Amino acid sequence: MTQDNFLSNFASLTHLDQQGQAQMVDVSDKAPTIRQAVAAANVRMLPTTFAAIQAGNVPKGDVLATARLAGIMAAKQTATLIPLCHPLPLQKIAVEIIPDPQLPGYQIQATVKTKAETGVEMEALTAVSVAALTLYDMAKALEKSIQIESIRLISKSGGKSGDYSPPEQEPRLSHL
């Protein structure tokens, strides 16, 4: 494949310029619309670690409140962390951390909303990622094997591409 063929195949990718170099997308011609994104992650741990966090018996303090605030702060910093993201005026950032004894661990969900020219998927994903990392940091004295899993976009609304929610997944097969 020649370089010309390669570049023509990727001409529709908005984050690449004519030479195939990364660029920030020009959204100046787009009208601001209301956009929202919801992202999620799971944090899995040993039952004893889960019980200690639930009881508030962690040496560093309030694990869940700290993780929630870290997620909110991270959403606001997304443009400084992800090179091609636009700085956005965020009108809503909500981070929920839900205990899940079946994991055992926590489900984290972030909802981010704005009225802008581009979406907030990366802000929601950054919020759950940093909340999960903070939960790990706050509890690592109890357990180093805590696992951060399934960081994913749950839904998005608004903008040119419209609404999105992932298709229902096939049930996972157990190992034979």
Side-chain angles (χ1 to χ4, degrees):
M1 177 182 284
T2 68
Q3 184 169 350
D4 288 339
N5 289 342
F6 177 80
L7 291 176
S8 67
N9 287 338
F10 291 97
S12 64
L13 297 178
T14 58
H15 281 86
L16 296 178
D17 66 14
Q18 295 290 340
Q19 291 74 41
Q21 302 295 313
Q23 70 175 355
M24 190 169 171
V25 175
D26 182 357
V27 296
S28 60
D29 289 338
K30 295 171 87 177
T33 61
I34 295 175
R35 298 155 185 268
Q36 180 172 293
V38 180
N42 296 335
V43 181
R44 185 183 305 271
M45 60 197 62
L46 295 171
T48 53
T49 305
F50 179 70
I53 293 171
Q54 284 297 101
N57 294 330
V58 179
K60 286 190 173 183
D62 190 338
V63 173
L64 304 180
T66 304
R68 187 176 304 103
L69 285 174
I72 292 167
M73 292 172 64
K76 295 191 281 185
Q77 294 300 314
T78 301
T80 61
L81 298 169
I82 312 275
L84 301 179
C85 284
H86 294 83
L88 295 173
L90 303 179
Q91 278 78 36
K92 175 185 180 180
I93 306 167
V95 176
E96 294 179 80
I97 303 176
I98 303 120
D100 184 345
Q102 298 302 313
L103 276 174
Y106 294 89
Q107 295 179 28
I108 302 173
Q109 185 170 301
T111 302
V112 180
K113 189 174 185 179
T114 189
K115 184 175 184 182
E117 297 82 4
T118 190
V120 286
E121 297 92 340
M122 295 308 300
E123 287 74 9
L125 288 162
T126 299
V128 297
S129 298
V130 172
L133 289 167
T134 302
L135 198 155
Y136 179 93
D137 180 56
M138 294 290 291
K140 69 185 177 194
L142 300 174
E143 178 189 348
K144 303 270 191 273
S145 63
I146 295 170
Q147 297 174 25
I148 298 170
E149 304 173 339
S150 302
I151 297 170
R152 62 211 180 271
L153 181 66
I154 299 296
S155 66
K156 73 129 213 96
S157 61
K160 181 180 175 184
S161 65
D163 296 351
Y164 166 82
S165 58
E168 291 297 320
Q169 294 183 1
E170 296 283 327
R172 294 185 183 189
L173 300 176
S174 61
H175 294 292
L176 301 177

